[in-house]
Amino acid sequence: MTLQQFFRALNPIELLRRDFFIYILIGLLCGGAAVIFHISIRFVFDSLHQYQHQQTPWTMLALMISLPALGGLFIGLIIQYIEPQAGGGGIPQTKAAYWNGSGILTLKEAFWRFVLTVISLGSGGSLGREGPTVHLCASIASKTGQWLKLRKEAFSAMIPIGMGAGLAAAFNTPLAAITFVIEEILLHDYRAKAIGGIIFAAVTAAAVERLVLGSNPVYLVGLPPFDIDWWMLICLPIGVLGGVFSHVFVSGLLGTRKIFQNWRQCPDWGKPAIGGLAMGITGTMVFIITEHEGIFGLGYNDFSDTLSGNIVGVTLVVLFIGKIIATILSYSSGGSGGIIAPSLYIGMMLGGSLGSLLIHFFDLSNNIIGGAALLGMGAFFAGSIRVPFTSVLLVYEMTGNYSLILPLMFGNMLAYNIAERLRPTPLHEALLIQNGIHLNYKSSPSR
């Protein structure tokens, strides 16, 4: 090695060109972006929520109805006049960039999706932050590749790395993030080397998230470890109903979305406002009946209460139906946000309803409701998003409860197979097809 080559090897830019440092850099950037995203959404939602509860009861109810509509109006205007590509969940757009595009995602689109999701969830929209987080981090990874002047063929390879980092930081679930990228985007383009990059970035992003927000699971569950028992056979009806109702949910979402798309009498900028108004009315009605506000926003309090066995009976059924309707309205009308968190919420209420029915007829602890709710989370998620391995790991990492892993695996696979038979095309791909985009799986963009 010449002296010139030696100093060149020590050059920081040359070091950054090495794959390992690129993966770590992407993980750091994505972890930081995901934390800022999380804090921004919680700040806006908590501020508006606190303001609502400081008002008189009738004013509070009026705000619960109107705020999602007002948020939808801002979203519609921004999409119409500033960034037309910033609506939706972000994962379909990321898949299209990987398979059909050159792997280039713009930070402009990612920034406005960030803003729109903060507005949507902050004002009470019934969606999640995971899809926009995945898109944001995939965009950061793509831009990093451009900034480091990598080969154009390498831009697409950056997208799965950013996706993994994004989901790991969004849910504090690095293992599920890795399998999600494999099942969602790399199933037709599996390469061991790509998995290494995803692991490095996901671990780094999750470490950043834990340093800032803490190492606890996303949902603090007061469930004890369960021994193998007969009641775990509830995974059978949960799996069947999870598959059937996830199909109903996906069909309803796609059908309602088509209605909004074909509604020519209403301007496009007004559709998210109308969907937000209908969603606000739905959430308010559910609140009047149940005194629970989980239909609005992410619904974290309902997650913890249900998994701890503190919500029982008809309340679970009402929240299950209400969340399905609210999520369909929020997403189909053009709102900004993801489907993963609502799918987990809906599944939790489905499983909890069956668990509540079980303890009604048998002398069992209320903890069974929480256990059944956890099984429902996985089953409905597997059926609606179609990532069965991820569904197992995600529920385990989010709750920290390993004792239900066997019925969880069985119920999830049952729901997945039923949903796939009823509708072979996964949700994220079906959304692209509805927009006239067909993924080109014949080419391998990362090679």
Side-chain angles (χ1 to χ4, degrees):
M1 175 184 289
T2 66
L3 189 62
Q4 183 180 8
Q5 290 173 324
F6 174 77
F7 283 109
R8 185 181 178 187
L10 294 179
N11 188 303
I13 299 299
E14 292 298 320
L15 285 174
L16 286 172
R17 288 182 186 275
R18 299 175 184 177
D19 290 350
F20 174 78
F21 291 97
I22 293 174
Y23 303 148
I24 299 301
L25 176 62
I26 290 173
L28 291 171
L29 293 173
C30 292
V35 168
I36 293 171
F37 195 27
H38 173 87
I39 293 173
S40 300
I41 292 170
R42 289 307 299 262
F43 174 77
V44 175
F45 180 84
D46 290 345
S47 298
L48 291 176
H49 184 264
Q50 183 179 8
Y51 176 75
Q52 285 179 8
H53 283 264
Q54 292 173 345
Q55 311 305 311
T56 63
W58 286 108
T59 303
M60 184 185 74
L61 293 177
L63 288 172
M64 292 175 74
I65 293 173
S66 60
L67 280 177
L70 184 61
L73 179 61
F74 279 113
I75 290 168
L77 291 172
I78 291 173
I79 292 174
Q80 181 77 21
Y81 296 108
I82 299 179
E83 182 51 63
Q85 304 301 320
I91 293 178
Q93 293 85 344
T94 305
K95 293 184 69 170
Y98 180 79
W99 285 106
N100 293 9
S102 57
I104 295 178
L105 290 166
T106 67
L107 289 181
K108 178 187 175 185
E109 180 184 340
F111 169 77
W112 282 110
R113 181 167 278 110
F114 178 108
V115 172
L116 293 187
T117 305
V118 171
I119 294 173
S120 177
L121 299 186
S123 61
S126 183
L127 296 171
R129 61 183 167 87
E130 69 296 323
T133 304
V134 166
H135 180 268
L136 171 65
C137 293
S139 300
I140 290 173
S142 175
K143 191 63 177 179
T144 301
Q146 299 169 51
W147 175 64
L148 293 174
K149 298 184 178 356
L150 301 180
R151 294 176 293 107
K152 287 187 177 180
E153 309 89 76
F155 293 163
S156 289
M158 295 294 101
I159 288 180
I161 294 169
M163 288 180 68
L167 191 66
F171 279 145
N172 192 10
T173 55
L175 289 175
I178 296 164
T179 58
F180 176 80
V181 175
I182 295 173
E183 291 184 295
E184 185 67 45
I185 201 169
L186 292 183
L187 200 59
H188 301 272
D189 185 32
Y190 177 83
R191 293 186 302 138
K193 183 180 178 180
I195 304 305
I198 295 167
I199 291 173
F200 283 127
V203 169
T204 305
V208 171
E209 191 267 353
R210 293 183 182 193
L211 283 172
V212 179
L213 301 178
S215 299
N216 291 322
V218 173
Y219 304 124
L220 295 176
V221 183
L223 290 176
F226 292 103
D227 294 322
I228 291 291
D229 204 346
W230 68 268
W231 72 264
M232 292 182 181
L233 291 174
I234 200 174
C235 70
L236 297 174
I238 286 177
V240 172
L241 293 177
V244 172
F245 279 111
S246 64
H247 171 70
V248 171
F249 170 67
V250 170
S251 298
L253 189 149
L254 293 172
T256 307
R257 187 170 184 260
K258 188 174 182 179
I259 292 173
F260 271 103
Q261 287 177 334
N262 295 334
W263 189 10
R264 304 303 179 192
Q265 293 81 3
C266 179
D268 289 341
W269 57 264
K271 293 175 183 178
I274 293 174
L277 178 62
M279 179 262 142
I281 293 172
T282 302
T284 303
M285 290 175 61
V286 171
F287 171 72
I288 292 172
I289 297 170
T290 68
E291 298 185 354
H292 286 273
E293 299 177 76
I295 303 301
F296 297 95
L298 298 170
Y300 279 151
N301 291 336
D302 283 357
F303 270 102
S304 299
D305 287 343
T306 304
L307 293 173
S308 299
N310 296 326
I311 302 179
V312 299
V314 178
T315 299
L316 293 164
V317 178
V318 174
L319 291 172
F320 167 69
I321 296 172
K323 192 68 171 181
I324 288 179
I325 296 172
T327 303
I328 289 174
L329 290 169
S330 291
Y331 193 94
S332 300
S333 60
S336 185
I339 300 296
I340 293 178
S343 296
L344 293 169
Y345 185 103
I346 294 167
M348 174 182 63
M349 295 305 167
L350 173 63
S353 298
L354 293 180
S356 186
L357 193 63
L358 192 67
I359 69 168
H360 178 75
F361 289 104
F362 299 94
D363 185 21
L364 297 171
S365 166
N366 269 25
N367 288 330
I368 303 303
I369 296 177
L374 191 150
L375 297 178
M377 287 172 63
F380 195 90
F381 176 72
S384 56
I385 308 299
R386 304 288 177 80
V387 283
F389 294 110
T390 302
S391 67
V392 175
L393 290 174
L394 187 70
V395 172
Y396 162 61
E397 288 188 285
M398 289 178 70
T399 62
N401 194 308
Y402 185 76
S403 61
L404 291 173
I405 195 72
L406 297 180
L408 179 66
M409 292 171 65
F410 197 95
N412 289 13
M413 289 305 300
L414 186 58
Y416 169 79
N417 280 283
I418 290 173
E420 188 177 43
R421 285 181 176 274
L422 293 173
R423 181 183 290 274
T425 306
L427 173 59
H428 291 137
E429 190 169 341
L431 289 168
L432 288 172
I433 293 172
Q434 202 170 59
N435 290 340
I437 300 172
H438 296 266
L439 299 179
N440 182 18
Y441 290 127
K442 294 181 180 179
S443 64
S444 180
S446 59
R447 292 176 190 255

